[in-house]
Amino acid sequence: MKVYGDLLVETISNNEPLMRIIKVLKDLNLPFEYYVGAGCITNTVWNDISGYPLEYGISDFDIVYYAPEDLTFESEKKLQDKLLNLLGNFQFKLDVKNQARVHLWYENKFGFSIKPYHSLEEAIDSWPTTATAVGLRQEQDGAYKIYAPYDLDDLFSLVVRPNKLMITREIYENKVQKWREKWPKLMVVPW
């Protein structure tokens, strides 16, 4: 993963809005583990490989963290509002989620319940595809920490492979359909 890890950092370093978020989060020195992850990272890489502007197709920036001591929606909203305030004029939506509380709302959104996650990494392990199961942050010493439980091969090969740990076929196929319209070079592994 070392070579792809270096390439990932190099690629995201050219996405100005993504780097703004990473810097603001680093400067906050939050008291819990967090990552910027999922689509904003994946889409940046796909855009770079496809020759598109790096911000193309990014609908929001996912910031995930793990704070089991505070499972309130209000704490998520407070962090999101603080980030938006610090980011100033930011043209993208932020999706800030405490992964320790996902089980509280998951069934209402997706139609089936899940058990509580025991860590931030366990949450990322369950994300819908191997290419989108990635989180990244900049540590206080400036080094980047990347969490990619399925490595980064699929991401940099434009392969979309289902991660059947939690999602349904319908969720996967809906995501694939949206992505294929934006990134026609994607190689989709059928469910």
Side-chain angles (χ1 to χ4, degrees), residues 85-102:
N85 185 50
L86 291 169
L87 288 165
N89 184 17
F90 195 71
Q91 71 269 35
F92 294 95
K93 180 182 160 210
L94 294 184
D95 188 8
V96 177
K97 294 279 187 285
N98 179 358
Q99 298 298 289
R101 69 178 298 276
V102 170

Side-chain angles (χ1 to χ4, degrees), residues 96-109:
V96 177
K97 294 279 187 285
N98 179 358
Q99 298 298 289
R101 69 178 298 276
V102 170
H103 66 285
L104 299 174
W105 54 261
Y106 197 90
E107 185 171 11
N108 282 344
K109 183 167 184 178

